[in-house]
Amino acid sequence: MSENYEDPNLEEQPEEVNAGETITRVTGMFKDWFLDYASYVILERAVPAIEDGFKPVQRRIMHSMKDLDDGRYNKVANIVGHTMQYHPHGDASIADAMVQMGQKDLLIDTQGNWGNTLTGDRAAASRYIEARLSKFALEVLFSPKITDWQASYDGRRKEPINLPVKFPLLLAQGAEGIAVGLSTKVLPHNFIELIDGSIKHLQGKKFTLLPDFPSAGEADFSDYRDGKRGGRIRVRAKINQLDKNTLVITEIPFSTTTTSLIDSILKANDKGKIKVKKIEDNTSSEVEILVHLPPGLSPDKTIGALFAFTNCEVAISPLGCVIEDNKPLFVGVSQMLRISTERTKDLLRQELEIQLQELENQWHYASLERIFIENRIYRDIEEQDTWEGVLKAIDEGLKPHIAHLKRPVIEEDLVRLTEIRIKRISKFDIDKAQQKIEALEVDIAQVKFHLANLNDFAIDYFKRLKKEYGAGKERKTVIRLFDDIEASKVIIRNTKLYVNRKEGFVGTSLKKDEYVTDCSDIDDIIVFTKEGNMMVTKVDSKTFVGKDIIHIAVYKKKDKRTIYNMIYKDGPGGATYVKRFNVTSTTRDKEYPMTKGKKGSQVLYFSANPNGEAELVTVYLRSIGNVKKLKFDLDFSDVLIKGRNANGNIVTKHSVRVIDLKEKGISTLRPRKIWFDDSVNRLNVDDRGELLGEFKGEDRLLIITQDGIAKTIIPELTTRFDDKIIVLEKWIPEKPISAVYWDGNRERYYLKRFLIDNPEKEEQFVSDHPNTQLEIVSTDYRPVLEMGFYKDRNKEQKPNETVNIEEFISVKGITALGNQLYPEKLKQLNLLESLPYELPEPEVVEPDDSEVNSADDSNEDDNDHDGDFSQGSLF
């Protein structure tokens, strides 16, 4: 073997040997073969052509179905066998490609079990299912007179190079394929929107295309990038809350099935990221997956966890790659539509030109026939003995009458005239012949008009397609912006955190030590030690963070509302300092000193306050030297909130014996402003959407739905809201709610006013009769209602009436029926401008600027150690 080894980098070189034989080095052969193979896979298997949107196997299936088309269904096995005359591969690849096309419900009219794209169930065997071309396919795919043909792989038959497709089929069906070093992923788009886009292009207007998936769902296309390489979309399932312990999934993301979706939920449950009691799959023609939750689990948080940890949300990266002139072309979907629309316009032009030529030929021959019979030129051939003489006699007889013809008379025309039968000549009707010629002239003029106004003709063509085939093809996928779900906020706390404070160990395996809190394996924890050091580390089974731990908790990034209050001694003989700070960002596993860093420093008092509470403490000094006052109070509300690197203010320079909590504090932070962004149906604190108000820790949101359900909740940014909400505002407990509803049981209108007595309970304030309809809800103090009436027969129109709701009914319980407003159907119900109401004088509270001075703790190095908390007056 060593003697025959060849350098792989050498070019292929034939060598002469004995008897005139040659040896060819295999290096070059491998190189050429691989290139040939790669080109074949790219051009002939994986990537669709821009001209008609088909891969070769799909094109051959369509051509075979047209060959077999007689209006009736054909066995798919028969179609597959017929296609094998053109396709150089086996029946399995043809059958699979045909099933995929049939499931898209556009070109193929199917019969039998073609599988279920929702559940992933496969189609029945090809011998059991049937298919035929749809009317739409017959309309837009075929036109043999303008089709370019080529020999099939074995040279026995002719097949189309490209089908003359007069529709953006590639964008309607989508395409996906993996070749050698190349792939494509064109997502499906909406049928009607594609036609509208083509019309706008022909009109010179701008258009935007976004995918539309047959499995519906919701999608965020903000990073679609016109379907080019590098784009990314997010698709979500549609999840609603059926009851307090059940979620229902009614639509699934594109590229998933109910089976894969359920498997991903069970996998996340096994890993402890979510908690699920049971899953029921009731999917048939429509998706219905019931997710049963354990008691006490938040449905809103679980929905967020489903999006974060399962296939209820998937990311799809489009890649617009097509074949143009036997070369790969990377292009966006807008350009694909423009190319397809222009090609459709050109195909329509070719069809019109062929139609014009055929009409002119018909007119030409009809005119010749009329001249031939009307002028009895057929008698001139009776005396001729030769064929040449016959043709010459006809030609001579026609010459005096052909000046108005549009082209010269050729020998073929003369031959056709000799083929007219005597019976036809004897029954020839000059008037009918003239009418036929005039009708042809009208048709010719019409075709010429279309050619002269080709753009308008193409627009009308697309409008006709939309009218005839657009029914039932409305958009299924809802377009919306998605909120970014933080996994740490929605993950189920599936493990317990323990701490050994003295030895300085924290972790989930220290079960014999002190329990701290429930946590998850993706959480970070924050730890403070008695020496005044802080560290943030990831949850693990056992981690050393420093001895004498005084505080440990799950850490929330960018948390500005958790304020740490600390009093520490600076070294063995140093002064005592007080500081208030937050921790919004850190480097994981890095130790940060919260004191001035002097060796021997010690924390004397520490508290963590989730809402910036500022307590009152009592400081006791040691009776050493000339200290006159051994006890004084320190109010943390007098200390400004600064960054974690600030040294703080001096409390005293004397030795502190002990510090005791005297009085728990209240929040010193300003109320948090909360907005509602209706584009994602989520709350935020980033000034996006409608401002709902300023909320303190105990404030709640009022929610009223179209179903007549009222409830209040603590505003959390993870809460999800559905589209049925009609009232979403800050809840004022003393402000009454007014509601007008049609009672389906009693069949009359009722008006009620009520307060929410139990803020923790969700209650329905209208009857549960299926015909009950909530008409109007108002949360104003003194609303005014206007009623409009239907006109009774033979009576004058009754004028509109106004109702002062405050006078009409007093405030009652939420379950009360209310007072009858009107016994019959009303034409209209409107809320007018409310009556004025004076709010009670608010309690005067001094403004608190503590949060204004909060600094960015990531860069701050505040050396504010010269400030004396007591300003030198206490000692």
Side-chain angles (χ1 to χ4, degrees), residues 158-178:
K158 296 290 184 182
E159 64 174 330
I161 298 174
N162 290 299
L163 289 174
V165 177
K166 301 185 288 296
F167 180 78
L169 189 64
L170 174 59
L171 295 175
Q173 293 193 127
E176 185 172 357
I178 300 176

Side-chain angles (χ1 to χ4, degrees), residues 608-872:
N609 307 280
N611 285 299
E613 292 85 355
E615 63 268 35
L616 181 67
V617 298
T618 301
V619 180
Y620 296 90
L621 303 180
R622 296 183 185 275
S623 179
I624 300 175
N626 58 351
V627 179
K628 296 179 180 179
K629 192 172 183 179
L630 299 177
K631 169 186 173 185
F632 63 90
D633 292 340
L634 188 155
D635 192 345
F636 275 99
S637 63
D638 294 331
V639 182
L640 297 182
I641 300 172
K642 297 190 176 182
R644 64 161 185 255
N645 294 326
N647 292 331
N649 299 333
I650 295 177
V651 176
T652 180
K653 295 181 180 179
H654 300 288
S655 179
V656 175
R657 179 169 60 88
V658 69
I659 300 174
D660 289 337
L661 175 65
K662 183 176 182 180
E663 183 180 312
K664 290 185 178 180
I666 60 173
S667 176
T668 58
L669 301 180
R670 285 197 178 98
R672 184 170 58 165
K673 290 185 178 181
I674 295 180
W675 286 263
F676 177 70
D677 186 351
D678 59 4
S679 63
V680 296
N681 282 353
R682 297 295 287 269
L683 303 175
N684 68 89
V685 293
D686 305 322
D687 196 10
R688 290 184 286 107
E690 178 187 356
L691 178 64
L692 298 179
E694 298 183 348
F695 290 77
K696 297 180 181 178
E698 67 278 4
D699 291 336
R700 303 177 74 91
L701 272 175
L702 171 65
I703 299 174
I704 299 177
T705 69
Q706 186 63 55
D707 299 332
I709 294 174
K711 62 180 178 179
T712 68
I713 63 169
I714 298 293
E716 296 181 0
L717 302 187
T718 57
T719 305
R720 307 190 64 83
F721 301 90
D722 59 33
D723 296 329
K724 294 182 179 180
I725 292 178
I726 56 176
V727 173
L728 180 64
E729 62 182 42
K730 184 177 179 180
W731 179 50
I732 301 175
E734 62 274 11
K735 188 164 71 167
I737 300 169
S738 305
V740 178
Y741 67 98
W742 171 265
D743 188 281
N745 188 33
R746 296 172 175 82
E747 295 188 346
R748 59 194 62 199
Y749 289 100
Y750 284 87
L751 172 59
K752 63 188 297 183
R753 297 183 82 207
F754 59 91
L755 296 173
I756 293 181
D757 300 322
N758 187 355
E760 301 291 340
K761 185 179 179 182
E762 177 182 294
E763 294 190 82
Q764 187 162 359
F765 58 87
V766 299
S767 69
D768 57 0
H769 192 279
N771 293 332
T772 295
Q773 179 68 37
L774 181 61
E775 298 289 346
I776 284 177
V777 173
S778 173
T779 56
D780 291 343
Y781 283 97
R782 304 179 65 195
V784 177
L785 179 70
E786 180 186 38
M787 297 189 298
F789 306 95
Y790 286 102
K791 184 179 181 302
D792 292 331
R793 184 178 295 179
N794 301 325
K795 292 184 179 180
E796 294 185 0
Q797 175 67 53
K798 186 177 181 180
N800 291 0
E801 290 184 9
T802 59
V803 178
N804 184 340
I805 294 179
E806 183 184 31
E807 296 177 351
F808 186 84
I809 186 173
S810 60
V811 176
K812 299 181 180 180
I814 192 171
T815 59
L817 178 65
N819 291 354
Q820 179 181 304
L821 178 67
Y822 196 71
E824 299 176 10
K825 280 286 187 179
L826 292 169
K827 187 176 183 181
Q828 60 181 8
L829 276 167
N830 299 316
L831 279 173
L832 303 180
E833 184 176 354
S834 298
L835 298 174
Y837 178 80
E838 293 185 6
L839 293 171
E841 290 293 330
E843 186 178 338
V844 178
V845 179
E846 291 296 326
D848 179 11
D849 296 329
S850 61
E851 201 172 18
V852 176
N853 295 288
S854 178
D856 182 1
D857 59 3
S858 60
N859 297 312
E860 181 178 6
D861 187 13
D862 188 348
N863 296 318
D864 189 16
H865 56 274
D866 295 330
D868 188 346
F869 177 79
S870 62
Q871 298 181 0

Side-chain angles (χ1 to χ4, degrees), residues 47 199 289:
V47 185
I199 293 173
I289 302 174

Side-chain angles (χ1 to χ4, degrees), residues 240-248 290:
N240 292 314
Q241 183 178 344
L242 194 61
D243 54 50
K244 63 180 181 180
N245 290 325
T246 309
L247 303 177
V248 58
L290 299 179

